[in-house]
Amino acid sequence: MKKTIYLFGVLVSLWAFTACNKGDKKADTGTAAVSDKDKEIDAKVEALLAKMTLEEKAGQMTQVNLNKVLYTGNGGGYDNNYGIIDPALLDTAVVRYKVGSILNAINRAYSQDQWISIITQIQDRAATTPNKIPVLYGIDAIHGVTFTLNSTLFPHNIGSAASWNPAVSASCAEVTALEARACGLRWNFDPVLDLGRNPLWPRFPETFGEDPLLGERMGISAIKAYEGAGLDKTNAVASCMKHFIGYSASRSGRDRTPSFIPEIELREYYLPQFQAAVKAGASTIMINSGEINGVPVHASKYLLTNVLRDELGFKGVVVTDWEDINRLHERHNICSSIKEAVKVSIEAGVDMSMTPHDYKFTKAVIELVNEGSLSIERVNESVRRILRLKFAVGLFENPVVEKAALQNFGKPEYAAKALDAARQTITLLKNDNNTLPLKKTLKIVVAGPNANNVPSLHGCWSYTWQGADATATLNKAGDKPFIPGFDFAKDSVLPLFPASTLSIKQALEAKIGAAKVVCQSVSDYEDPKNYSLPSVAGADAIVLCLGENSYAESPGSIRDLTLDARQIALAQAAIKTGKPVILVLVEGRPRVISSFVDGVPAVIDAYWPASQGANAIADVLFGDYNPGGKLPFSYPRHTGDFVMYDHKWTEENIEGTPGNFSDAGYQPQWPFGHGLSYTTFEYSNFTVSADTLVGDAKLKVSVTVKNTGAVDGDEVVQLYSRDVFASVVPSLKRLRAFERVSIKAGESKTVTFEISKDDLSFVKEDQAAHTFTRVTEDGEFKLMIGGSSNFELEAPEFPWTSFLYRTYKGAKSVYYKAK
């Protein structure tokens, strides 16, 4: 097979004029004129608000976990793992404290019928209260309906981003909305818009990777799929962009720990996705659990009101994360009491508190208003937003599952969409000597802890919070409730994953026949059998399935990215056999494999591909699907190396002796945007529509891509730019546009992008006024196009070339400052 040819960093010099007001004056949110329906909802909200007591208002601002209304097992006959409502506890929540929202499941997923029963009981009780205000149920349906048995789970965001195809993100959101609504769930805490720039961070797999543009396009695609049909429709749910803001940038890399982010960086990298999400119409937002520069975000009026409300124009509901108001007192220690923490957070801009285990928040709101420490006007602002959301999602018309929504659960076509998504995410990182695809006549040894383990294919938020459990144990106490498909007469172990879900071993057996697959790996991730090789006698190749087990949030925190020592030893043993080794990585974040990867001829990264992941892996290994995924992050070669593709020159070069610099900075195992194919692509005819960009004009950038191989394939065409000289130190390159294109063998396609001054802008600080402006300065810009971010690494044999550029005089730059 020919080496894949990438267009050598072709350069074009541009002169760009005038400023861009894209970030920091009061933003144009794209909000249309108020519709008649909106006016009708507003009138209903005001009429209801006028009738509500202070206690009802405080309750509407409160969100508790489901366990507050379930049997506890203490004399009630059931453990709360059964998901059985305790009428007395439900009365306490809904009648006494008038709670407006409940969230998530307890310990395990429930069936669709159980969810409908739970939601119906809650709403029936709410209907008996004086103003009959329904409860808004929130759920972490992160990559499918997490807490529902037999739901369809899609690749996690980090895998979705590897497709470089916003349609993949949209497909996941569409199915998630349908299946959530079919269970009576109308508020989804997704998508995550945090930037994945530190793989130590345990929520890295929930991100769309290290680049703001890629994250923005994938996230906005999800939001539009969740909400685009209209929140009152049976194929829509309210989305929740999260976690505002800078959550993923913790200094230690561990969850819920402090971040120190200069505002110029905060606005350049962490704010754009949220600005775009507000403009796209996201209904709600969840707040960063940590602190930035010593100020917890839940207590930051600057971020929650000045930036989010006033600057970005967000009008929806602001909800806290888990217990985060309490933690202003208990962990951050900026408030002397929980009551003070409630006051501080509400005045900062919080609308709803995920409290979730007590009613301290509700009581504190009532006390604060009664004593005059918190204005009823401020409380009314939050309650208006919450009520408006409830009207918008149709809860007042029908608070339980709609008949039209019931049929939208578990359709066969959902599995096909999940398979297509998983296939598009898989990334071929290495393929020496055309080791892949394998022939179906070969006999293979399959080994490793991820070879025969289903949960590790799915990752976090997969039928349980951590996602690592294949079953749930139900205590045999008292009478047994009805769970469809489960026989309590036999045992109390409930399978969580659908029986149709295959492990990699099973998918490979289905692909080429069990007789050709030798595997001793078992489902228990820690079993010693998973860390040794079976006999390789007579085998043609070894498929080594390594990576990570499932984890979520703080339990997934690690201090070293190096792959587990047992897995490294297994890889080294496989290499010593002399058989070709194909490494299949199943992981939520990149684990360092540099100690042995040179001895492995082929590597694919499957990320956490979920319910159809094993089938997708088998399709790629045997050539039934040609991989087209690209890395959404820089894959580190060293565990302490977090230099990103968009680094600055000073990050990349080291002055070994005075005046002598060496290129020793960006040395990833594989660069951002990298991914191979079973075919080859050739770039040519890179053209731009002008050599000068002026004012608000558009520049068209085109390139021809030819599939020069023998099989059809997908290529992700990536456009990067560099501001050669700027008043703020520029990155060596930034992603400006991309498109995934399918090209038949021998076929050529022309890909055209359109860029404007906005695409070339950056955030600049007026240090005297301490204001921040997004500007495009006069000067020279270089454009680079190809199949990866690292043109030097991908195509070192090609020289750089450039177009001539000229100075254009007479235009003036206009700077817009934040209000």
Side-chain angles (χ1 to χ4, degrees):
M1 182 179 74
K2 288 184 181 179
K3 179 174 179 178
T4 301
I5 299 175
Y6 295 87
L7 183 67
F8 47 90
V10 178
L11 312 183
V12 61
S13 299
L14 307 171
W15 285 91
F17 299 91
T18 78
C20 165
N21 63 334
K22 186 181 175 183
D24 297 295
K25 73 171 191 171
K26 196 159 186 178
D28 173 13
T29 62
T31 304
V34 178
S35 67
D36 290 341
K37 184 174 183 179
D38 289 332
K39 292 177 182 178
E40 181 183 349
I41 289 177
D42 288 341
K44 290 179 178 179
V45 167
E46 293 304 318
L48 180 54
L49 191 65
K51 296 189 294 182
M52 292 172 66
T53 64
L54 172 59
E55 289 74 17
E56 285 178 300
K57 294 174 181 178
Q60 287 302 304
M61 297 173 69
T62 303
Q63 183 180 65
V64 297
N65 201 26
L66 181 61
N67 67 342
K68 292 301 294 180
V69 301
L70 298 183
Y71 278 111
T72 64
N74 299 323
Y78 305 122
D79 184 274
N80 66 16
N81 203 6
Y82 283 124
I84 304 302
I85 295 285
D86 182 329
L89 294 179
L90 182 60
D91 273 0
T92 299
V94 175
V95 179
R96 180 179 174 185
Y97 289 106
K98 301 164 179 58
V99 163
S101 184
I102 299 176
L103 80 150
N104 276 351
I106 305 302
N107 302 327
R108 65 169 182 84
Y110 303 135
S111 69
Q112 181 190 19
D113 288 342
Q114 281 181 288
W115 271 121
I116 292 170
S117 175
I118 289 169
I119 299 296
T120 300
Q121 290 177 72
I122 292 170
Q123 302 294 20
D124 284 352
R125 195 67 187 95
T128 67
T129 58
N131 284 310
K132 299 177 173 55
I133 303 174
V135 171
L136 179 63
Y137 209 102
I139 197 79
D140 279 289
I142 302 302
H143 61 127
V145 190
T146 307
F147 293 116
T148 301
L149 296 171
N150 297 309
S151 65
T152 307
L153 298 186
F154 283 73
H156 271 277
N157 284 349
I158 198 65
S160 179
S163 73
W164 289 62
N165 184 0
V168 168
S169 178
S171 180
C172 172
E174 287 166 1
V175 173
T176 301
L178 287 165
E179 294 203 315
R181 195 85 178 207
C183 296
L185 304 165
R186 303 190 193 183
W187 184 17
N188 185 15
F189 302 140
D190 192 64
V192 170
L193 298 179
D194 302 307
L195 208 57
R197 294 175 79 84
N198 185 343
L200 287 172
W201 193 54
R203 305 196 74 165
F204 187 90
E206 297 178 59
T207 76
F208 290 110
E210 74 185 51
D211 182 77
L213 177 65
L214 180 59
E216 176 184 314
R217 286 193 56 190
M218 301 300 288
I220 299 315
S221 179
I223 289 168
K224 290 181 176 179
Y226 282 135
E227 301 202 19
L231 293 182
D232 59 335
K233 301 298 190 295
T234 58
N235 60 341
V237 293
S239 66
C240 184
M241 46 182 168
K242 62 186 192 184
H243 305 80
F244 188 80
I245 182 178
Y247 185 29
S248 60
S250 69
R251 174 177 285 179
S252 68
R254 289 186 287 280
D255 192 30
R256 289 177 165 85
T257 55
S259 299
F260 297 88
I261 313 173
E263 185 151 357
I264 198 167
E265 181 180 352
L266 190 77
R267 289 173 173 273
E268 183 68 48
Y269 286 96
Y270 297 95
L271 187 64
Q273 305 89 290
F274 288 98
Q275 181 181 9
V278 170
K279 188 172 182 179
S283 295
T284 71
I285 192 167
M286 189 179 291
I287 306 307
N288 171 7
S289 294
E291 62 188 67
I292 298 178
N293 305 332
V295 179
V297 181
H298 283 82
S300 175
K301 186 170 185 177
Y302 171 67
L303 290 174
L304 300 188
T305 297
N306 295 10
V307 176
L308 179 62
R309 295 288 188 195
D310 298 340
E311 191 175 315
L312 301 191
F314 179 64
K315 301 183 185 304
V317 174
V318 173
V319 63
T320 77
D321 207 334
W322 193 265
E323 280 193 300
D324 280 334
I325 290 180
N326 291 4
R327 289 169 179 173
L328 296 180
H329 165 63
E330 296 167 349
R331 294 190 180 183
H332 297 292
N333 305 136
I334 67 162
C335 297
S336 60
S337 66
I338 289 178
K339 183 176 175 180
E340 182 188 359
V342 170
K343 179 178 185 294
V344 166
S345 62
I346 293 175
E347 290 185 338
V350 166
D351 294 318
M352 182 182 288
S353 173
M354 190 185 292
T355 184
H357 297 308
D358 56 56
Y359 302 101
K360 294 175 184 177
F361 173 85
T362 319
K363 296 174 184 176
V365 171
I366 295 168
E367 290 178 14
L368 287 165
V369 173
N370 283 335
E371 68 188 25
S373 299
L374 179 66
S375 73
I376 189 63
E377 289 78 15
R378 173 64 192 90
V379 169
N380 285 344
E381 287 178 9
S382 290
V383 177
R384 278 191 186 93
R385 296 177 187 126
I386 294 164
L387 293 176
R388 197 185 194 293
L389 180 60
K390 291 185 176 186
F391 275 109
V393 297
L395 286 175
F396 282 91
E397 288 75 18
N398 183 1
V400 297
V401 65
E402 302 100 332
K403 289 183 179 179
L406 283 172
Q407 61 187 350
N408 292 329
F409 188 86
K411 290 185 175 181
E413 57 263 35
Y414 300 165
K417 290 185 177 183
L419 177 59
D420 178 64
R423 284 170 166 171
Q424 290 196 51
T425 66
I426 292 176
T427 307
L428 180 62
L429 297 176
K430 183 179 180 181
N431 195 22
D432 292 351
N433 303 316
N434 297 328
T435 301
L436 292 177
L438 298 172
K439 294 180 180 179
K440 295 178 183 177
T441 56
L442 299 182
K443 182 178 181 180
I444 60 173
V445 167
V446 181
N450 297 83
N452 202 17
N453 178 278
V454 167
S456 65
L457 285 166
H458 293 70
C460 57
W461 305 107
S462 298
Y463 305 117
T464 60
W465 172 42
Q466 292 295 303
D469 296 323
T471 60
T473 300
L474 307 183
N475 297 327
K476 292 184 176 181
D479 296 332
K480 305 301 185 293
F482 172 69
I483 298 179
F486 185 67
D487 186 356
F488 283 91
K490 293 181 179 179
D491 56 40
S492 60
V493 177
L494 177 70
L496 294 175
F497 289 85
S500 59
T501 308
L502 302 182
S503 68
I504 297 175
K505 167 186 176 287
Q506 292 168 329
L508 293 176
E509 289 175 339
K511 178 69 68 175
I512 63 172
K516 297 176 189 172
V517 177
V518 177
C519 182
Q520 67 179 23
S521 296
V522 296
S523 60
D524 180 357
Y525 203 87
E526 299 302 318
D527 194 295
K529 294 186 184 71
N530 294 330
Y531 301 93
S532 62
L533 282 174
S535 172
V536 299
D540 298 295
I542 300 172
V543 176
L544 201 57
C545 305
L546 307 181
E548 299 184 304
N549 200 358
S550 299
Y551 53 83
E553 302 188 51
S554 292
S557 293
I558 57 175
R559 297 175 186 270
D560 188 345
L561 279 175
T562 306
L563 193 64
D564 176 75
R566 297 170 297 174
Q567 297 189 47
I568 292 175
L570 177 61
Q572 292 169 338
I575 293 168
K576 286 180 181 179
T577 66
K579 305 286 185 181
V581 177
I582 295 91
L583 176 60
V584 177
L585 292 168
V586 178
E587 55 188 3
R589 55 193 161 197
R591 301 303 294 263
V592 172
I593 55 176
S594 53
S595 63
F596 67 85
V597 73
D598 288 347
V600 176
V603 182
I604 68 169
D605 200 334
Y607 312 96
W608 278 342
S611 57
Q612 292 295 320
N615 290 324
I617 290 168
D619 287 345
V620 168
L621 288 178
F622 288 95
D624 290 332
Y625 184 84
N626 186 3
K630 302 278 187 175
L631 282 174
F633 51 78
S634 301
Y635 201 112
R637 186 184 303 272
H638 308 288
T639 190
D641 186 5
F642 299 135
V643 177
M644 304 291 106
Y645 90 89
D646 54 2
H647 56 276
K648 303 188 178 193
W649 187 89
T650 49
E651 291 180 81
E652 186 178 47
N653 288 272
I654 294 176
E655 189 173 12
T657 58
N660 294 310
F661 293 86
S662 59
D663 181 358
Y666 189 61
Q667 294 186 358
Q669 192 73 57
W670 297 285
F672 173 80
H674 169 77
L676 304 176
S677 171
Y678 294 152
T679 189
T680 52
F681 297 100
E682 183 177 272
Y683 286 67
S684 63
N685 300 323
F686 180 38
T687 62
V688 293
S689 57
D691 62 0
T692 304
L693 178 65
V694 181
D696 293 323
K698 306 290 185 182
L699 187 76
K700 290 186 177 181
V701 182
S702 299
V703 69
T704 299
V705 185
K706 182 177 181 180
N707 183 339
T708 56
V711 296
D712 300 348
D714 287 4
E715 172 68 331
V716 178
V717 183
Q718 303 163 43
L719 176 67
Y720 297 85
S721 77
R722 179 187 176 186
D723 198 338
V724 179
F725 295 99
S727 57
V728 173
V729 179
S731 297
L732 287 178
K733 60 175 71 77
R734 288 289 298 273
L735 180 68
R736 299 307 184 189
F738 62 89
E739 184 178 352
R740 180 166 177 148
V741 290
S742 297
I743 309 176
K744 295 183 180 299
E747 181 186 17
S748 295
K749 284 190 176 180
T750 297
V751 177
T752 300
F753 301 113
E754 190 174 77
I755 61 174
S756 69
K757 70 178 191 302
D758 294 8
D759 299 306
L760 304 173
S761 65
F762 61 90
V763 175
K764 180 178 181 178
E765 179 183 10
D766 181 332
Q767 295 184 350
H770 193 59
T771 56
F772 295 84
T773 312
R774 184 167 282 279
V775 301
T776 307
E777 293 180 336
D778 303 359
E780 178 186 358
F781 291 85
K782 296 179 179 178
L783 294 180
M784 298 152 275
I785 201 162
S788 165
S789 67
N790 199 333
F791 303 100
E792 300 95 327
L793 183 64
E794 296 290 355
E797 69 272 24
F798 289 109
W800 291 78
T801 63
S802 64
F803 285 78
L804 293 176
Y805 63 91
R806 63 186 177 85
T807 303
Y808 181 88
K809 296 180 179 180
K812 294 181 179 179
S813 294
V814 181
Y815 290 78
Y816 296 91
K817 297 187 184 294
K819 292 183 178 179

